[in-house]
Amino acid sequence: MAETGTERDDEHDARSADRRGGPGHTVLVSVALAVPVTKVAYTVGGGAAARDVFVGMEPANWPDVLIGMVLTDPLLASVLAVVVSRVVFALFAARGAIPVQGGFLRALQRVALTAVSPAAMGVVVAGFFGPWWGLGTALAAYALRKGVVVEYRTGRRHPHAHPGHRRTPASGSHREARRYRPSPALRRAAALEQWAALVLTAVVLPVLFFVAALDGRAWTSIVRCQVTAGTQTASNRLIELSRKGNGIVGWNLDTDEITNGDACTGEESLYVREPWWRR
């Protein structure tokens, strides 16, 4: 059956989207910009307080907000790891880095390329939150990555051919791809993977990020320090922003200002205020 113009346009749009990172890329960039500001603004009260905190942190430390949120929430960390793993895999697959046809050696190469990143993500998550979180993350990431491979095998995706690239029998051809007829079960699996990836990326991940941003917890350590103002010294709670010599620069929760603290000790609880949904 001849390929229609609509089918070719859909294939080109899907391939172009994957080369740009797909919807996952857009969501990740948007979240990376909006969520840290939301987290700081809600935690310290917004307005001038949020501006003072970002100034006190210095630009090099601004990513600490996002990192701190991820490292204090195992579910958020796991979902983020799964989404990043799939986005990166789809990006490289769209550029032709993942072999989709060939013999036994190509199949082994596909398995290795599909499994290595999920395994690494699982190890990282397990290091912070335990082996069960790591195992779940690795399996979910592998399932979505395997789904991308299935999309290529069913013809829902095609690798991008670089200018000047000549197809060979080893790399496969469109004629060979048309001769291959995937089973209905394989096509359903590809469609299911696409929907699962879309929901996880466009719905679940943003919701988890904004829940973490509005949960009332600090994104970094809460410390109790000796703070000197003039001739008076008091024991205050600070959100640690940066370290200066033997002291700490932090947001003073007792005086609502940036202060320097010495002789600091960490506190176990990270809660600064009530979560947004309990107010």
Side-chain angles (χ1 to χ4, degrees):
M1 181 182 295
E3 186 180 41
T4 67
T6 301
E7 289 173 342
R8 285 195 298 270
D9 291 342
D10 291 344
E11 175 189 313
H12 178 268
D13 290 343
R15 187 167 63 247
S16 298
D18 270 349
R19 290 203 301 272
R20 294 191 299 268
H25 177 80
T26 303
V27 170
L28 290 174
V29 171
S30 301
V31 162
L33 293 174
V35 168
V37 175
T38 304
K39 179 70 170 179
V40 172
Y42 182 76
T43 304
V44 303
R51 290 194 296 272
D52 289 345
V53 167
F54 277 111
V55 171
M57 289 179 66
E58 301 177 354
N61 296 326
W62 288 1
D64 291 350
V65 179
L66 200 60
I67 294 171
M69 292 172 61
V70 172
L71 295 184
T72 55
D73 190 325
L75 182 58
L76 174 59
S78 297
V79 173
L80 178 62
V82 171
V83 169
V84 170
S85 177
R86 185 190 185 275
V87 168
V88 172
F89 187 74
L91 177 62
F92 281 106
R95 296 177 182 273
I98 311 300
V100 295
Q101 297 187 27
F104 178 71
L105 292 179
R106 289 295 183 95
L108 286 180
Q109 187 180 1
R110 278 198 302 271
V111 171
L113 291 173
T114 306
V116 64
S117 181
M121 292 291 185
V123 170
V124 171
V125 173
F128 288 104
F129 304 111
W132 291 113
W133 282 105
L135 179 61
T137 299
L139 292 177
Y142 179 78
L144 289 190
R145 278 186 160 229
K146 190 65 175 177
V148 174
V149 175
V150 171
E151 288 183 51
Y152 280 94
R153 287 187 58 78
T154 59
R156 297 173 74 97
R157 293 284 190 270
H158 293 286
H160 173 58
H162 296 286
H165 173 71
R166 298 181 59 187
R167 290 184 175 271
T168 64
S171 62
S173 66
H174 285 298
R175 184 179 301 173
E176 290 173 341
R178 286 196 294 269
R179 284 203 300 265
Y180 173 71
R181 290 293 182 266
S183 66
L186 197 60
R187 291 197 298 269
R188 285 194 296 270
L192 179 62
E193 181 274 335
Q194 280 191 322
W195 277 106
L198 181 62
V199 170
L200 197 66
T201 302
V203 179
V204 176
L205 183 62
V207 167
L208 289 176
F209 259 118
F210 279 100
V211 167
L214 301 173
D215 65 0
R217 292 189 300 171
W219 60 93
T220 186
S221 303
I222 301 290
V223 292
R224 184 167 291 278
C225 302
Q226 297 299 312
V227 177
T228 301
T231 59
Q232 301 294 322
T233 299
S235 177
N236 294 154
R237 294 174 70 228
L238 276 65
I239 300 177
E240 180 181 338
L241 302 181
S242 62
R243 294 179 181 266
K244 299 291 186 182
N246 295 327
I248 283 177
V249 176
W251 176 256
N252 195 320
L253 296 170
D254 297 313
T255 62
D256 291 332
E257 61 182 355
I258 299 290
T259 56
N260 295 320
D262 296 305
C264 301
T265 58
E267 294 201 344
E268 183 175 351
S269 176
L270 294 178
Y271 280 98
V272 172
R273 61 192 307 181
E274 286 290 320
W276 176 79
W277 51 88
R278 293 182 187 171
R279 293 176 64 82

